[in-house]
């Protein structure tokens, strides 16, 4: 079963792998190395080409900054197919930046801890993989230390993001109310993404003005975290981002225990973990919605919308059985209509939902993978099986697109597979789904 598709998935990954030792997410649209993409891509390679899997991680971690920060994009090569590139981001403004690797000055969800553990679980030669992990794991630990030192302004174990691109869920409707508090200048720039992908599937020009303005504020303060926290109008505690951090803390603890020694680091991780889990539950849970939500630190209030990020906590050691039950009910009730594939990225009953546009509604394979493992962790095998079946159906029906229409019956003028084609993490996580033992 799936033999043809498995072959195609490998071809996508092998074609997107670059001589510089990293994999582009999609030709033209995303021509560099993206942080959370690199993590999911390494999991795919771990199933059939361990050398490339390790290289992906190593190349990304080589670009780490002096303060432990790992950038969201590393511009290993030049390309004129993407905006905003290195000339706009100007990472060299930060004295912490890595002079050998031009990059952005923002981060992306901290997936690397659990990626390393997942790679170890899928490879045959555990000894060799553990040996590799022993050469990289301290860099990931150091990255977590960066987050807790520099991004936890309220000292409660939750880390903020200062830009929507840091969330990974780039143009989610979650940010709309923050955009309404800002009035950025109208930038003159040439969009490149809309020459690769239909504009109706991408953010609007006005949204891009906000994105660029936030970067300009960070640049004005030379990417100093404390200054950004003070001056950025966008300062958010994101339930996906923090769930990934907590999941990765757990994986780092497991891996350090396997490696032996490292008692101080394990103790530190356990201390962070305790506070993070408690604050996640108390600050990010919305009783009325029955889900975790984002928290706007500038407005000092929750952002009361449910999206696929609301359930990422199921994948981490965050919830007890009662709360898991509430989350699963909300997921089923809001997103589980039989006319839809699981799982739309935004509440399909909301007027902000848009089934075609980037993170405003479509299904994403990486989110389905996180939710699938989360549902399994919570013992919800039937719903987990449905999300896996839906994922495989979407990939079979449309191919390795970047995101997908959640509607099983798409209107005649829509195709259903959207964004970049031959998209690396869709191929990589497909391999993980079908090779599951
Ligand atoms: C983009 O250009 O849309 C990227 O996803 C930013 O990370």
């Amino acid at each position: 079963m799936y033999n043809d598709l498995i072959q195609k998935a490998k071809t996508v990954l092998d074609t997107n792998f670059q001589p510089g030792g990293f994999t582009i997410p999609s030709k033209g649209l995303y021509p560099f190395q993206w942080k959370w993409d690199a993590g999911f891509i390494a999991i795919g390679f771990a199933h059939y080409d361990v050398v490339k899997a390790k290289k992906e991680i190593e190349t990304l971690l080589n670009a780490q900054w002096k303060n432990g920060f790992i950038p969201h994009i590393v511009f290993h090569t030049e390309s004129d197919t993407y905006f905003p590139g290195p000339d706009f981001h100007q990472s060299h403004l930060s004295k912490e930046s890595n002079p050998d690797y031009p990059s952005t000055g923002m981060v992306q969800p901290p997936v690397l801890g659990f990626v390393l553990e997942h790679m170890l679980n899928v490879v045959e030669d555990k000894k060799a993989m553990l040996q590799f992990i022993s050469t990289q794991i301290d860099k990931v630990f150091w990255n977590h230390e960066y987050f807790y030192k520099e991004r936890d302004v309220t000292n409660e174990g939750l880390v903020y993001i200062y830009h929507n691109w840091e969330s990974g869920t780039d143009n989610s409707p979650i940010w709309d109310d923050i955009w309404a508090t800002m009035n950025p200048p109208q930038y003159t720039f040439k969009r490149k993404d809309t020459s690769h992908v239909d504009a109706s599937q991408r953010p609007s020009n006005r949204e891009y003005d906000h994105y660029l303005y936030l970067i300009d504020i960070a640049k004005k303060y030379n990417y100093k975290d404390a200054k950004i926290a003070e001056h950025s109008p966008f300062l958010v505690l994101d339930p996906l981002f923090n769930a990934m951090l907590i999941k990765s803390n757990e994986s780092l603890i497991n891996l350090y225990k396997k490696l032996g020694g490292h008692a101080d680091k394990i103790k530190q991780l356990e201390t962070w973990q305790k506070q993070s889990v408690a604050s996640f539950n108390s600050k990010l849970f919305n009783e009325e919605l029955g889900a975790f939500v984002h928290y706007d630190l500038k407005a000092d209030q929750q952002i009361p919308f449910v999206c696929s990020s609301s359930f990422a906590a199921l994948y981490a050691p965050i919830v007890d059985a009662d709360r898991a039950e509430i989350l699963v009910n909300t997921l089923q009730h809001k997103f589980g209509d039989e006319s839809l594939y699981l799982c739309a990225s935004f509440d399909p009953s909301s007027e902000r939902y848009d089934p075609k546009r980037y993170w405003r509604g479509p299904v994403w394979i990486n989110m389905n993978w996180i939710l699938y493992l989360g549902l399994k962790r919570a013992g919800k095998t039937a719903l987990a099986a449905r999300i896996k079946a839906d994922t495989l159906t979407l990939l079979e029906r449309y191919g390795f697109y970047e995101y997908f229409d959640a509607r099983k019956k798409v209107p005649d003028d829509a195709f259903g597979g959207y964004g970049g084609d031959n998209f690396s993490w869709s191929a990589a996580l497909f391999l993980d789904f079908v090779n599951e033992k």
Side-chain angles (χ1 to χ4, degrees):
M1 223 182 149
Y2 295 118
N3 280 349
D4 278 1
L5 217 50
I6 289 173
Q7 208 35 59
K8 279 190 188 140
K10 292 181 182 172
T11 305
V12 168
L13 289 180
D14 292 339
T15 310
N16 286 345
F17 187 80
Q18 303 296 301
F22 67 96
T23 308
I24 55 170
S26 182
K27 192 165 177 230
L29 185 61
Y30 305 120
F32 311 107
Q33 187 177 37
W34 264 256
K35 181 194 171 184
W36 74 328
D37 294 71
F40 296 121
I41 288 164
I43 288 174
F45 276 131
H47 285 282
Y48 73 100
D49 188 337
V50 181
V51 173
K52 286 203 188 92
K54 293 175 180 169
K55 194 78 202 157
E56 188 73 36
I57 299 290
E58 213 172 39
T59 307
L60 178 70
L61 289 175
N62 284 344
Q64 188 164 33
W65 288 16
K66 292 171 212 146
N67 59 352
F69 173 106
I70 301 170
H72 119 280
I73 305 175
V74 188
F75 301 110
H76 293 290
T77 47
E78 293 193 1
S79 168
D80 58 6
T81 69
Y82 183 83
F83 175 84
D87 296 348
F88 190 88
H89 286 281
Q90 299 180 16
S91 55
H92 59 84
L93 290 172
S94 168
K95 67 175 179 33
E96 302 293 342
S97 63
N98 184 331
D100 298 331
Y101 296 91
S103 72
T104 63
M106 64 178 85
V107 297
Q108 246 183 345
V111 298
L112 293 179
F114 70 76
V115 164
L116 289 179
E117 190 179 24
H118 202 88
M119 283 165 66
L120 180 64
N121 289 342
V122 305
V123 294
E124 301 266 305
D125 189 346
K126 311 273 182 218
K127 206 166 152 225
M129 185 53 84
L130 255 186
Q131 158 61 25
F132 170 73
I133 289 171
S134 75
T135 66
Q136 307 296 316
I137 188 169
D138 287 349
K139 297 184 185 180
V140 183
F141 175 87
W142 184 29
N143 181 236
H144 287 213
E145 194 169 57
Y146 159 79
F147 281 125
Y148 284 107
K149 265 195 188 152
E150 305 292 347
R151 295 289 189 106
D152 178 9
V153 272
T154 47
N155 267 323
E156 54 191 340
L158 296 174
V159 306
Y160 73 77
I161 52 172
Y162 80 82
H163 197 289
N164 53 303
W165 282 342
E166 292 201 311
S167 70
T169 61
D170 298 355
N171 69 334
S172 167
I174 298 290
W175 323 127
D176 290 1
D177 296 328
I178 301 179
W179 303 149
T181 68
M182 293 167 58
N183 189 18
Q186 218 168 348
Y187 282 79
T188 315
F189 62 97
K190 182 149 173 34
R191 289 278 290 271
K192 299 282 174 78
D193 56 328
T194 43
S195 62
H196 308 291
V197 170
D198 193 290
S200 67
Q201 299 167 21
R202 293 288 304 176
S204 69
N205 276 353
R206 189 61 185 143
E207 280 175 303
Y208 259 77
D209 288 335
H210 294 82
Y211 307 169
L212 299 176
Y213 185 57
L214 289 176
I215 297 171
D216 271 342
I217 293 172
K219 276 155 55 179
K220 180 168 166 204
Y221 297 105
N222 298 321
Y223 289 113
K224 276 203 194 86
D225 292 296
K227 291 282 181 203
I228 292 172
E230 206 181 318
H231 297 285
S232 176
F234 186 115
L235 215 67
V236 171
L237 303 174
D238 180 314
L240 171 63
F241 197 99
N242 280 282
M244 297 299 91
L245 184 66
I246 293 170
K247 173 67 191 173
S248 282
N249 281 339
E250 178 186 54
S251 291
L252 291 180
I253 293 169
N254 292 342
L255 291 171
Y256 274 129
K257 284 185 178 163
K258 282 208 167 88
L259 289 169
H262 303 285
D264 289 355
K265 293 197 185 97
I266 293 172
K267 198 158 159 246
Q268 178 62 79
L269 284 159
E270 285 169 348
T271 306
W272 286 331
Q273 192 74 321
K274 206 161 158 228
Q275 200 195 13
S276 294
V277 169
S279 298
F280 196 106
N281 274 297
S282 59
K283 191 144 184 171
L284 304 186
F285 195 70
N286 184 300
E287 299 281 348
E288 216 169 296
L289 293 170
F292 290 105
V293 295
H294 295 66
Y295 194 96
D296 180 340
L297 285 170
K298 287 285 153 170
D300 200 14
Q301 61 189 22
Q302 289 187 343
I303 307 175
F305 289 97
V306 183
C307 60
S308 51
S309 303
S310 299
F311 310 103
L314 290 167
Y315 180 45
I318 293 176
V319 289
D320 60 19
D322 288 347
R323 196 155 266 187
E325 198 65 36
I326 297 173
L327 284 178
V328 171
N329 281 339
T330 308
L331 174 57
Q332 207 145 15
H333 174 71
K334 279 204 178 288
F335 296 77
D337 191 285
E338 285 297 334
S339 67
L340 299 176
Y341 293 114
L342 285 171
C343 179
S345 46
F346 194 73
D347 180 355
S349 66
S350 165
E351 57 185 26
R352 296 184 180 187
Y353 172 74
D354 179 340
K356 282 168 71 178
R357 205 182 279 272
Y358 209 34
W359 285 95
R360 299 184 72 90
V363 177
W364 287 77
I365 301 304
N366 67 330
M367 291 307 300
N368 273 13
W369 184 87
I370 289 166
L371 298 182
Y372 169 69
L373 293 175
L375 289 165
K376 276 204 355 184
R377 182 176 185 137
K380 302 291 173 189
T381 41
L383 199 56
R386 185 175 155 200
I387 208 165
K388 177 170 177 174
D390 283 359
T391 308
L392 296 178
T393 303
L394 281 167
L395 294 168
E396 255 190 308
R397 180 171 171 183
Y398 298 116
F400 296 110
Y401 273 89
E402 185 182 1
Y403 40 99
F404 301 89
D405 207 307
R407 295 169 294 184
K408 290 184 180 168
K409 199 171 171 336
V410 283
D412 290 342
D413 62 347
F415 170 58
Y418 302 131
D421 192 4
N422 298 316
F423 191 73
S424 293
W425 84 32
S426 298
L429 296 177
F430 168 76
L431 291 175
D432 196 63
F433 271 118
V434 292
N435 286 314
E436 195 188 10
K437 297 213 176 80

